[in-house]
Amino acid sequence: MKKNKAIFLDRDGTINIDKDYMYRIEDFEFEPKADEALKILNDLGYILIVVTNQSGIARGYYTEQDVQTLHENLSKILKEKNINISKFYYCPHHPTKGIGEYKLDCFCRKPYPGMILKGIEEFNIDPSLSFMIGDKLSDVEAGLKANVTSVILKTRNDIDFSSLSENILIFDSLYDFAINLKKLNNN
């Protein structure tokens, strides 16, 4: 059976502007041209899968239902633009700041690859044809551990990009990545 190719995406700072502990759709704001980027990636035949750490759940700032509601609303907005996110995975845990059952050092929290590996299995993904895109070192570490190509975006200013391994691709934005991937696919 033929394997699929996927783009695994961090959410905050990659798809939307990172607003600390955002969980309401009225606070959601796309990174510049991120929705256009998602459309390009979808049109190139990639399955889009969001993998996001949500320590705000662990800290008691909002609930798992709040995150699920945000993802349902975001999915609806994107569907109106003919963009399909196949799955939203989120990690509700934090190893030190979590409360109760959420205080856990788990395999799903990036930099561990748990969410990506789950997506690879669930959607029959070929890691060698797939990417993990994020704005933090934990995103690219998770991608490397899952054997997908890791991409870091320059949407943050607290990373020394010159110190990164050469197997990590660096782009200014999700849109910049999508345009470059489209050019490669057209050659």
Side-chain angles (χ1 to χ4, degrees), residues 86-140:
S86 294
K87 186 84 175 208
F88 288 87
Y89 293 107
Y90 63 91
C91 172
H93 309 114
H94 195 282
T96 59
K97 309 276 193 226
I99 299 167
E101 67 181 304
Y102 294 114
K103 185 174 184 173
L104 184 65
D105 190 9
C106 63
F107 193 64
C108 61
R109 184 173 175 76
K110 296 175 289 182
Y112 296 110
M115 292 184 282
I116 299 170
L117 295 175
K118 203 182 278 187
I120 287 171
E121 185 179 330
E122 185 175 340
F123 291 93
N124 190 34
I125 303 298
D126 181 343
S128 71
L129 301 175
S130 301
F131 298 86
M132 171 64 212
I133 305 173
D135 66 323
K136 293 184 179 133
L137 294 177
S138 59
D139 297 319
V140 294

Side-chain angles (χ1 to χ4, degrees), residues 48 58 68 75 110 126 129 131 133 170 183 187:
L48 304 181
Q68 291 166 4
S75 195
K110 296 175 289 182
D126 181 343
L129 301 175
F131 298 86
I133 305 173
I170 303 169
K183 284 179 192 165
N187 290 338

Side-chain angles (χ1 to χ4, degrees), residues 55-87:
S55 74
I57 296 168
R59 296 165 195 255
Y61 298 163
Y62 47 86
T63 67
E64 287 193 61
Q65 184 57 55
D66 291 330
V67 171
Q68 291 166 4
T69 299
L70 172 69
H71 290 162
E72 288 164 11
N73 285 319
L74 176 56
S75 195
K76 200 180 301 180
I77 290 165
L78 291 171
K79 274 190 172 56
E80 289 169 4
K81 299 173 184 244
N82 294 315
I83 300 164
N84 181 49
I85 302 281
S86 294
K87 186 84 175 208

